[in-house]
Amino acid sequence: MRRRLALAARDPAEAHRASTPLELLFDLVIVIAIAAVTAAFHHALAEGHGAEALPRFLLLFVTIWWAWTGVSWFASAFGQEDALYKLLVGAIMTGALIFAAGAGSFFTTMDLSWGLLGWSVMRLALAILWLRVAQQAEYRTVALRFAGGIIAAQAAWFVLYFSTVPASGAAFAGTLLCLAIEFAIPAWAQGGRLLPWHRAHLTERYGLLMLIVLGEGLLAASLGFRALYDTAPDFAAAATGLAGVIIVFTLWWVYFDRDHDLDRQSPLRAFLWGYGHAPLFAAVALVGAGLAFVAEHPGRAAGWALGGPLATAFALIWALRDRAFIMSRVRTLLLSIAALAFALAGAVSAGVLTFAALSVLLLAGRIFLFPSQTDNQEVTHD
């Protein structure tokens, strides 16, 4: 029985490792959750409460990302999809749907309520998966630490819920503390040891989540094009749709135009790469919210609604990837210069067409002025 419950490690050198249909089904749940939170922030922008709503968006988005991250890294290392594994992942998806269904309500009230139930179902099912890994002597200590850490974190969430008033300063501070506990679990559990996750598989998984958040921008662009079907077509709104496509396409091109620096030899660099994607994904989702705002209000300046997220996204792509490769000095700095340009455009309340023009210039620079075909050498880290 014990051998039947155990989950064996996957081979980190396995050839042609790709996302499974179960992982892709789980991604659909994440699509729903991210769409709900992004839509709530878009409505806050339209009502003039963007700055006030931003911390709530970031808290909810990072929480959703953390649920996705825990499953994705676990599956990469130990995803032996037997019947019990599939049932437990199904339980995680159910919990994620319960959480996602209340995302709009959380955004307004910050009352966890039933969302805490959904979150606990997700995390406790993941703890059971780690207990299955603990049946192997090689990973017993690490797995028990993961399971124990997850259970302790859930206890902290319940203490927070029953001891604070929703949307209060204490509740906000307690939420940050609970998230800090959650984020500390992997580093504490692993103790500097690398688990058998698959580099190419995780790179693909993160790429798929990037496509999900980019989809928020494409959905927003479609709102602009929808104005063409009105009795009196609104070509200004349609122009914002075209600008949105250009901006999203540039983000896609820049993110996917080379391999990513996910290092199996360094736990620290792997943690930085994995955690560093949280603000990157959040920034790209915020681009979608900003594009939805300007599509529905084509006469209003985009300003920081686009400038801040775009500057953050391109700066993080440089930090997470481009700095790890030996390139010409100008090409190395291109994303940093672009991030500064987007920030300045936001500061002067530029319109969406200005951000589209900057995106075209950035893309032209990467394609024509500083091609990447010979920039294949990675920086050697000591």
Side-chain angles (χ1 to χ4, degrees):
M1 175 63 73
R2 184 172 180 174
R3 181 176 298 178
R4 185 177 300 175
L5 289 176
L7 277 176
R10 297 288 294 261
D11 180 3
E14 179 182 343
H16 311 298
R17 177 79 185 275
S19 298
T20 67
L22 181 61
E23 289 173 309
L24 298 177
L25 183 63
F26 178 67
D27 286 351
L28 291 179
V29 177
I30 301 303
V31 169
I32 296 169
I34 290 176
V37 176
T38 305
F41 183 73
H42 155 223
H43 293 312
L45 278 176
E47 295 168 0
H49 304 303
E52 176 187 341
L54 182 59
R56 297 186 178 193
F57 169 85
L58 293 175
L59 279 176
L60 288 170
F61 185 93
V62 168
T63 301
I64 294 166
W65 166 82
W66 186 243
W68 176 88
T69 296
V71 174
S72 295
W73 284 76
F74 180 92
S76 188
F78 301 104
Q80 307 284 354
E81 294 191 359
D82 58 19
L84 181 55
Y85 178 92
K86 292 177 180 177
L87 289 172
L88 287 169
V89 173
I92 294 172
M93 287 191 289
T94 303
L97 279 173
I98 295 172
F99 186 87
S105 174
F106 306 156
F107 200 91
T108 304
T109 65
M110 290 306 291
D111 184 358
L112 292 175
S113 189
W114 291 103
L116 182 58
L117 171 65
W119 179 256
S120 297
V121 169
M122 282 191 286
R123 301 298 286 164
L124 292 178
L126 182 60
I128 294 172
L129 285 171
W130 278 111
L131 289 175
R132 293 190 65 192
V133 175
Q135 304 305 310
Q136 298 184 70
E138 182 179 0
Y139 297 105
R140 182 167 298 136
T141 299
V142 172
L144 288 175
R145 283 185 174 187
F146 264 108
I150 291 171
I151 292 170
Q154 300 327 293
W157 284 110
F158 275 97
V159 169
L160 171 67
Y161 179 70
F162 288 109
S163 63
T164 60
V165 177
S168 66
F172 191 83
T175 300
L176 292 178
L177 177 60
C178 288
L179 285 175
I181 294 172
E182 293 270 7
F183 294 165
I185 293 171
W188 170 71
Q190 292 180 224
R193 178 182 181 181
L194 279 171
L195 293 178
W197 45 264
H198 195 285
R199 181 184 184 278
H201 176 250
L202 278 177
T203 302
E204 178 192 344
R205 297 294 297 135
Y206 273 67
L208 289 172
L209 188 56
M210 174 59 77
L211 291 176
I212 288 172
V213 291
L214 285 172
E216 295 299 313
L218 293 178
L219 178 61
S222 73
L223 297 177
F225 290 128
R226 190 172 62 187
L228 293 173
Y229 295 89
D230 293 341
T231 304
D234 186 342
F235 293 105
T240 66
L242 178 59
V245 172
I246 292 170
I247 291 168
V248 171
F249 187 73
T250 301
L251 281 166
W252 169 82
W253 190 300
V254 171
Y255 182 82
F256 287 101
D257 76 343
R258 66 165 57 253
D259 198 7
H260 278 255
D261 181 37
L262 175 54
D263 188 0
R264 269 208 55 81
Q265 306 306 314
S266 169
L268 177 59
R269 288 176 64 193
F271 276 119
L272 290 175
W273 185 89
Y275 282 66
H277 270 77
L280 172 58
F281 291 141
V284 176
L286 283 170
V287 170
L291 288 173
F293 167 71
V294 297
E296 293 187 347
H297 305 86
R300 297 173 65 175
W304 279 112
L306 284 178
L310 284 169
T312 301
F314 287 120
L316 284 169
I317 293 173
W318 172 84
L320 293 171
R321 188 200 58 200
D322 279 14
R323 66 171 183 79
F325 291 88
I326 297 175
M327 307 177 184
S328 66
R329 182 177 298 275
V330 177
R331 190 168 195 274
T332 301
L333 294 174
L334 187 58
L335 282 185
S336 300
I337 295 169
L340 178 60
F342 283 114
L344 290 174
V348 299
S349 298
V352 66
L353 296 181
T354 300
F355 290 103
L358 290 173
S359 298
V360 170
L361 290 175
L362 170 58
L363 200 55
R366 289 186 74 90
I367 296 174
F368 300 113
L369 299 180
F370 313 108
S372 62
Q373 285 85 345
T374 59
D375 294 330
N376 295 322
Q377 187 175 359
E378 190 174 355
V379 173
T380 300
H381 295 265
D382 296 328

